[in-house]
Amino acid sequence: MEKFKVGIIGCTGMVGQRFITLTCGHPWFELTALAASPRSAGKTYAQAVEGRWKLEVPMPDQVRDMVVMDAEADIEKIASQVDFVFSAVDMKKEEIRALEEAYARHECPVVSNNSAHRWTEDVPMVVPELNPEHLEVIPFQRNRLGTKRGFIAVKSNCSIQSYAPALTPLRKFGLEKILACTYQAISGAGKTFESWPEMVDNVIPYIGGEEEKSEQEPLKVWGKVENGVIVKAEKPSITAQCLRVPVSNGHTAAVFVSFEKKPSMDEMKEIWANFKGVPQELELPMAPKQFFHYFEENDRPQARLDRDLEKGMAISIGRLRPDTQYDYKFVCLSHNTLRGAAGGAVELAELLCAQGYIDHK
């Protein structure tokens, strides 16, 4: 199989670093271009991130001597060298929107980890196991942009991927109302304990913009394509509270849910155990073989024990039980920089390639 040539724009931050570790050695992808801000441009990658490599795994030798380009000034050059790019840039939202559209208009598909285009009506926001049919909006987006190859696809916020996946196959029972309290790792802010000592022995009950995203983004994921745009679902009603906790990786969610037609707990567990999405059917390289892992132990899932299940791409669930205010409550866990960020975007890119939305130039 001819490998797809891949670029990473925003390659120096924590998510960009994750993209590097996931694309180096990937069976489908060949990393051929790196780009970041002007202060990193012209340096080797090792020079650009000197003292700032944040992952627990070492920097791949393959990228050490690659020269970093300017993500804005070198668009034409980058687009000519790759079949598509991953976007993990750290800029203002309006600047990100303009930059990603510029790549798309240069006929370079963009698979974005950023939130800037999540509410653009013809940009699919896809969790590959949950709503792959939303990719059908891409031809309409291309028509708007005036492109043949170029488009933008985004992944959702990391916080909703701890609980929205577990709720998605239960929608057939009529999700009525949801309360989700998320306990989010510091890597979600691009931090480590070394760079954020204030988080040691601490909990911060506020993450800017996170609760609004957590309440609204599932409704787009659960929406449908109509007349060339994605129309979000009208229900369920969702309320969320998001806290930053002293955990390196792994977002945990305490979920409370009521249904129109209440299933039994055995039905819910059976649905989770038997669930297979399109990525599992296609056997995509990043796709977990078992998407949901349910734990019967009262003290699971735990971030340290369970976040790395299936290369960090599985969803862990536990403590399903009746509730006095809602029908049921349970706990979920996902790895926020793998399933919730770079890993989810790589799986989305695999899906786009497998279904022909991204081709070789």
Side-chain angles (χ1 to χ4, degrees):
M1 168 182 178
E2 181 187 356
K3 289 192 172 184
F4 293 87
K5 292 180 170 59
V6 178
I8 300 170
I9 58 174
C11 63
T12 57
M14 183 176 280
V15 175
Q17 293 173 19
R18 280 283 185 205
F19 276 128
I20 282 173
T21 62
L22 294 174
T23 51
C24 288
H26 190 283
W28 293 10
F29 301 149
E30 178 187 354
L31 183 57
T32 58
L34 297 175
S37 66
R39 67 177 176 272
S40 296
K43 299 177 181 177
T44 66
Y45 187 71
Q47 292 170 335
V49 297
E50 186 175 2
R52 297 192 293 133
W53 183 260
K54 298 180 179 181
L55 304 187
E56 64 281 0
V57 295
M59 182 191 304
D61 290 338
Q62 175 186 335
V63 298
R64 287 184 174 277
D65 296 326
M66 288 181 68
V67 176
V68 179
M69 290 182 271
D70 187 318
E72 293 182 271
D74 294 328
I75 293 176
E76 194 168 340
K77 182 179 178 182
I78 295 164
S80 70
Q81 294 180 5
V82 302
D83 295 313
F84 70 95
V85 295
F86 289 112
S87 174
V89 292
D90 183 12
M91 303 163 66
K92 294 178 180 177
K93 281 191 179 181
E94 59 270 22
E95 294 172 343
I96 294 173
R97 281 194 286 269
L99 182 67
E100 292 180 348
E101 282 210 3
Y103 275 89
R105 291 181 191 278
H106 277 81
E107 300 295 0
C108 180
V110 178
V111 181
S112 180
N113 184 74
N114 298 303
S115 64
H117 272 294
R118 287 184 193 150
W119 288 101
T120 304
E121 287 184 324
D122 58 8
V123 170
M125 181 174 71
V126 173
V127 180
E129 282 85 357
L130 307 187
N131 60 330
E133 71 280 1
H134 284 195
L135 299 181
E136 296 167 9
V137 81
I138 287 173
F140 298 96
Q141 183 194 146
R142 282 173 168 159
N143 186 56
R144 173 176 65 84
L145 296 173
T147 60
K148 293 181 179 178
R149 290 187 77 253
F151 66 88
I152 302 161
V154 302
K155 53 153 288 300
S156 70
N157 191 45
C158 55
S159 69
I160 78 163
Q161 297 193 52
S162 56
Y163 62 90
L167 291 165
T168 298
L170 305 177
R171 293 182 67 216
K172 64 183 180 180
F173 299 110
L175 296 176
E176 215 166 40
K177 58 177 183 174
I178 296 161
L179 164 63
C181 298
T182 63
Y183 306 89
Q184 301 185 203
I186 62 173
S187 56
K191 304 284 190 178
T192 64
F193 286 116
E194 290 73 24
S195 63
W196 201 3
E198 296 86 356
M199 274 308 303
V200 177
D201 192 31
N202 197 17
V203 172
I204 297 176
Y206 174 73
I207 306 171
E210 206 76 354
E211 286 156 3
E212 295 84 352
K213 294 174 188 174
S214 297
E215 292 171 354
Q216 291 299 315
E217 287 190 17
L219 299 177
K220 182 170 181 178
V221 171
W222 294 333
K224 56 188 175 181
V225 177
E226 284 184 3
N227 301 317
V229 298
I230 298 164
V231 180
K232 74 175 186 178
E234 293 182 1
K235 59 181 185 177
S237 64
I238 305 172
T239 185
Q241 183 132 292
C242 301
L243 291 78
R244 189 73 72 192
V245 295
V247 172
S248 59
N249 292 298
H251 286 356
T252 299
V255 185
F256 302 77
V257 58
S258 290
F259 299 93
E260 293 171 14
K261 300 175 183 177
K262 181 180 176 182
S264 70
M265 291 194 296
D266 286 341
E267 282 180 292
M268 294 168 69
K269 291 178 184 179
E270 184 178 358
I271 286 169
W272 288 329
N274 295 328
F275 180 88
K276 285 190 184 300
V278 171
Q280 285 70 40
E281 294 167 1
L282 294 175
E283 297 182 345
L284 300 179
M286 280 300 294
K289 288 183 171 57
Q290 180 73 34
F291 187 39
F292 298 118
H293 290 247
Y294 187 85
F295 293 90
E296 293 290 351
E297 299 93 329
N298 283 331
D299 61 352
R300 302 282 287 278
Q302 292 181 26
R304 285 181 64 177
L305 297 178
D306 305 313
R307 62 191 170 207
D308 292 319
L309 273 175
E310 306 240 19
K311 299 176 290 189
M313 293 296 288
I315 307 295
S316 300
I317 311 171
R319 301 209 68 207
L320 174 64
R321 60 215 190 277
D323 183 62
T324 58
Q325 308 298 314
Y326 291 72
D327 288 336
Y328 295 111
K329 52 190 170 187
F330 57 90
V331 175
C332 290
L333 168 74
S334 65
H335 194 303
N336 56 295
T337 68
L338 288 168
R339 165 55 69 179
V346 171
E347 188 188 48
L348 173 54
E350 293 169 354
L351 179 64
L352 288 160
C353 292
Q355 295 193 333
Y357 291 100
I358 294 175
D359 56 11
H360 297 284
K361 281 189 173 178

